[in-house]
Structures are given as C-alpha cells and as structure tokens.
Amino acid sequence: MAVTKQQVLDTLKRIGLPDGSDLVSNDMVRALSIESGIVRFVIEAPNPETARKMERIREAAENLVASLPGVDSVSAVLTAHESAPAAKKPAPSLKIGGHPKPQQGSMKPSGVKSIIAIGSGKGGVGKSTVSSNLAVALAQKGRRVGLLDADIYGPSQPRMMGINKRPASPDGKTIIPLKAHGVTLMSIGFMLEEDKAVVWRGPMLMGALQQMLSQVEWGELDVLLVDMPPGTGDVQLTLCQKAEISGAIVVSTPQDVALLDARKALDMFKTLNTPVLGLIENMSTYVCPSCGQEAHLFGHGGVADEAKKMDVPLLGALPIDLDTRLAGDAGTPVAAKDGPMADAYARIAEGLIRGGLA
C-alpha cells in the first residue's frame, strides 16, 4: 500500500524538539512529496544557528519515515532562514493607512520573481479560498510563495491561513510578514480587530497597498500571489500599473450572473495590458455525500466556454466541497492535506510551475 502525506506527517510529529513541540506543529516541514515510494521533504529551521544543531533530528526523521510500509527511500534536507533578531521586537508606532507617498518607478518588491493577481468580477465566488489553497499548493511543491491579502475592506486570509497576530517591525517602518503553512503572508487583517470595519476613502486604501508592497520584507520569493478585492477599482488599477504583474487568474462560478462580472474583470486586465493566465471555475458541481448524485447548482461549463471564447486556458474546475469550507474556517487550507481537493489544487500549481510563472 502506498504511503500518504498524512502518514508521513503523523510520523514526523513523533520527532520531539527541545522546547517540547515537534517538527509538524512548529511548521518546519516543507516541500513534502511522495513519488513511487520515494519520500522527499525539507526541514526548515528558523535560523542557521538552530539548523546546525538539528542534524541528528534530520537523521532521526529520515530513519523514522523510512520505517513506514510502502517507503523505499527517504531524502530529508535541512535548511534555514537568515537570522533576523530585530524582527522579534514589535514596534507600537507601526501604522497602516494614510495617503500614499510619491513614488517613482515600480512597486514590485525586489526579491520577488513574479506576481500573480487572483481576481474576480464579483464577491462570493471563492476567490480568497482559491488564493490561499493555491499558495499552499505551490509551497507544497517547494516554491517560495508569498500571499498578499489586498482585499482591504474584507480581509479573510488571516482566518483561512490560521494566523492572526500583529506583524513585528524593527523600526516602525519595515514590516516583518508572518508565515503559515510554508507561505509568507501579509494582510491588513493582521493590523485590525477581526470584527472592525475598514472605513477608508480611496487615498488611504492606496496608502495601505503601497505599504504592504514596499515596506514588507518579502524576502526572496518565486511568486507572490495577490488576493484581489472583487470588482475593477483602485486596487486593481494601481497593482496592474505599478507592480509589474506577471499575469492574472480570474475566478468565477458558472452561472450567467457571475460570468457577466467576470467578463468585466477580463476586460479590465486586457485594458491594463495584464496577461490573463487562465480561468478557474469554482463551485463547478456538487456531489451528494449520501447518495453520490451529481448536481450543477450554479449551472455547468460556463467558465470553460468563456475561456474558449477568450482563447485562454481553463486552469481547473473545482466542486463545492464541505471539507474545503471546513478547512478554511479552521485555518488549515485543504491543499495542505491529502485528498481529491488537494490534488486538484496541486494540478493547478504544477501548471503554473511548468509555465515558469511560479
């Protein structure tokens, strides 16, 4: 019987660390892959000094996973982030919002290879769910991934990624992003109480966006995914004109009402000369867990037809899935687990990697 990712993770939970935690609960296991009995993963230490003390832990992890039925060989690599002790000191004076500062040139962070915008013409189509799961799926493939929650009026990534604390700052200006599930993460939601509304006019919105791109220490990333707000407003315009977006993915449900707005998003990206990398049909179908009957609650195939008309790829058709909703509410995206939904997001991630975009 083939070993699963969950079995490997459950085994690695048995590797204790000096502080009483384990490799998995400390989010130190990266890029776990299983292929024909060959298991590969990375153990990512918080800094080089810690990594130098973990060689025996790496060996123990290899040996323990190698003892699992169905495992032919194991390769565990030990790596570390550069130390940043100043990042541990919070700066009470750090503020998000205010009018943007005059800026010449690009807003693209210097260490980021590509930026992909994930947009939709309207809210409620699952764009944020797709963004968080695609980010985790790319991280599972060993990519260095960032996720910027640019939906400033309705930030949901803190809940979906299972982390909600204030980012640190060494000087009240530089912002140290948070990490969850192998993804570097920034959201306005980290700076506010969860139920507090953002009541800002356009200039403050743009000021916050500028800060989250230019003041955040994103580090070296293969790809930065941007969870866009719905619609075709100021945030989309600024990002496409100032941040050197590599391309956009448009998420829509199949019904005509959603597609009306999705076409507006597609037209906006075309007007702003931003390549559309493809479309994702979300809530494509529903399979009854009791009887197995398939139903198309929002219609079927509308996004695929639109992709064909636009001559762009259909990147995936994702069903309505209870586990996806439960995982997002619990703060562990379904792409971090085993199962058909994780596989679906993995296929989309593989397509972006093959295309050189992540």
Side-chain angles (χ1 to χ4, degrees):
M1 182 181 294
V3 68
T4 66
K5 288 183 179 180
Q6 193 58 52
Q7 287 174 314
V8 173
L9 290 173
D10 288 343
T11 299
L12 291 174
K13 288 178 183 178
R14 294 162 55 190
I15 305 291
L17 298 176
D19 64 359
S21 63
D22 60 79
L23 292 174
V24 177
S25 65
N26 261 4
D27 198 25
M28 297 173 75
V29 179
R30 300 277 188 268
L32 172 60
S33 67
I34 302 172
E35 186 174 355
S36 302
I38 301 172
V39 179
R40 299 184 180 90
F41 58 92
V42 172
I43 299 174
E44 186 176 78
N47 54 65
E49 182 181 355
T50 302
R52 283 191 289 270
K53 301 175 182 178
M54 292 186 64
E55 178 57 26
R56 288 186 180 180
I57 291 176
R58 184 198 68 79
E59 291 177 357
E62 275 192 350
N63 293 334
L64 202 56
V65 173
S67 68
L68 289 172
V71 174
D72 297 324
S73 67
V74 182
S75 173
V77 176
L78 190 58
T79 186
H81 283 297
E82 289 298 321
S83 295
K88 297 179 182 178
K89 298 178 182 178
S93 61
L94 177 63
K95 294 181 180 178
I96 291 286
H99 287 214
K101 295 176 178 154
Q103 180 173 343
Q104 297 295 325
S106 173
M107 289 172 61
K108 181 180 180 182
S110 60
V112 176
K113 291 182 180 177
S114 68
I115 300 178
I116 297 177
I118 301 180
S120 64
K122 67 191 298 294
V125 298
K127 167 188 54 59
S128 293
T129 298
V130 169
S131 298
S132 59
N133 279 284
L134 184 53
V136 171
L138 286 165
Q140 294 272 353
K141 296 292 179 184
R143 313 312 288 168
R144 297 169 299 176
V145 186
L147 177 58
L148 170 58
D149 188 356
D151 192 353
I152 293 174
Y153 288 134
S156 52
Q157 293 303 341
R159 170 63 66 90
M160 290 185 170
M161 295 294 283
I163 185 167
N164 194 3
K165 59 183 180 180
R166 191 176 180 85
S169 172
D171 55 9
K173 297 178 182 178
T174 303
I175 303 169
I176 308 300
L178 303 176
K179 291 200 73 168
H181 310 294
V183 177
T184 302
L185 183 63
M186 184 60 198
S187 169
I188 192 70
F190 296 142
M191 317 302 290
L192 304 169
E193 296 176 20
E194 190 174 40
D195 57 354
K196 187 173 180 61
V198 177
V199 187
W200 288 349
R201 295 189 185 275
M204 290 186 70
L205 194 75
M206 292 302 96
L209 180 64
Q210 184 185 59
Q211 284 180 277
M212 290 197 294
L213 276 171
S214 61
Q215 288 182 221
V216 170
E217 291 286 348
W218 288 106
E220 299 293 324
L221 297 178
D222 296 306
V223 61
L224 174 62
L225 301 184
V226 181
D227 179 12
M228 305 274 264
T232 56
D234 288 344
V235 170
Q236 290 87 342
L237 183 65
T238 298
L239 281 168
C240 291
Q241 290 182 329
K242 293 287 189 179
E244 299 181 49
I245 300 289
S246 303
I249 295 172
V250 175
V251 180
S252 179
T253 49
Q255 79 266 36
D256 290 344
V257 171
L259 283 166
L260 285 172
D261 292 317
R263 292 185 189 107
K264 295 172 184 175
L266 290 165
D267 183 66
M268 173 198 68
F269 287 125
K270 179 181 177 182
T271 301
L272 296 172
N273 296 315
T274 300
V276 175
L277 306 177
L279 277 65
I280 292 177
E281 182 171 276
N282 200 24
M283 309 181 198
S284 177
T285 187
Y286 171 73
V287 178
C288 175
S290 300
C291 66
Q293 180 180 352
E294 183 177 9
H296 301 124
L297 304 181
F298 297 101
H300 185 66
V303 178
D305 291 342
E306 194 64 30
K308 189 173 181 180
K309 289 177 190 174
M310 295 285 299
D311 194 27
V312 297
L314 177 68
L315 300 178
L318 303 168
I320 298 174
D321 178 68
L322 178 60
D323 287 341
T324 301
R325 195 273 295 172
L326 292 173
D329 284 349
T332 301
V334 75
K337 305 179 180 183
D338 285 320
M341 290 304 297
D343 293 340
Y345 280 108
R347 286 191 292 271
I348 298 174
E350 287 165 0
L352 294 176
I353 293 170
R354 283 196 303 270
L357 291 159

